């Protein structure tokens, strides 16, 4: 797997060399008084396809590295520990918010219950009179 990834990166390096060569050919052709349009078109197509291949392969490599780096920190890396700590802080903050909401709900319910008891006492006081 690692050898395949290295080979893919070597191919990317070759494609980058091809991109530079095409760019050089295009600049050289454009510097001429009369330039060959079909040659420029071929070089441009080659340039664009090489750029696309490089972009796709590098994106693939980055996705792979992102997947393996987040789950398996290398020696000396604190990323995973920092990520775990941040997630714990986020969960603690969320719990704090939810507990605050629960506390406010309880206070409202207690107030309503007290009001109902007061109303019942008033009602009972009227019946006794």
């Amino acid at each position: 797997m690692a050898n395949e990834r290295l080979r893919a990166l070597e191919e990317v390096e070759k494609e980058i060399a091809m991109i530079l060569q095409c760019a050089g050919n295009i600049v050289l052709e454009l510097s001429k008084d009369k330039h060959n349009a079909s040659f420029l078109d071929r070089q441009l197509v080659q340039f664009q396809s090489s750029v696309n291949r490089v972009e796709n392969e590098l994106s693939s490599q980055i996705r792979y590295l992102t997947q393996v780096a987040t789950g398996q920190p290398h020696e000396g890396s604190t990323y995973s520990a920092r990520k775990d700590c941040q997630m714990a802080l986020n969960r603690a903050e969320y719990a704090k918010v939810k507990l605050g909401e629960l506390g406010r709900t309880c206070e409202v319910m207690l107030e309503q219950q007290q009001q109902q008891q007061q109303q019942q006492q008033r009602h009972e006081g009227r019946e006794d009179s």
Side-chain angles (χ1 to χ4, degrees), residues 5-19:
R5 296 228 169 258
L6 288 175
R7 269 188 247 122
L9 288 174
E10 288 174 357
E11 290 300 316
V12 166
E13 187 176 11
K14 290 176 186 174
E15 285 292 332
I16 291 171
M18 179 65 68
I19 290 169

Side-chain angles (χ1 to χ4, degrees), residues 54-107:
V54 166
E55 184 178 350
N56 290 336
E57 184 57 37
L58 288 179
S59 293
S60 172
Q61 294 282 341
I62 289 169
R63 277 192 305 277
Y64 169 77
L65 290 173
T66 301
Q67 290 171 355
V68 297
T70 57
Q72 302 172 0
H74 61 82
E75 189 174 309
S77 173
T78 61
Y79 175 78
S80 181
R82 284 185 291 146
K83 182 179 174 187
D84 291 343
C85 182
Q86 186 61 47
M87 293 301 292
L89 289 171
N90 290 346
R91 287 190 299 271
E93 183 63 29
Y94 180 76
K96 179 181 170 185
V97 168
K98 287 300 180 183
L99 286 172
E101 290 174 3
L102 181 61
R104 286 188 292 282
T105 302
C106 288
E107 288 173 2

Side-chain angles (χ1 to χ4, degrees), residues 11 27 41 51 53 63:
E11 290 300 316
V27 169
D41 287 340
V51 167
R53 282 192 296 271
R63 277 192 305 277

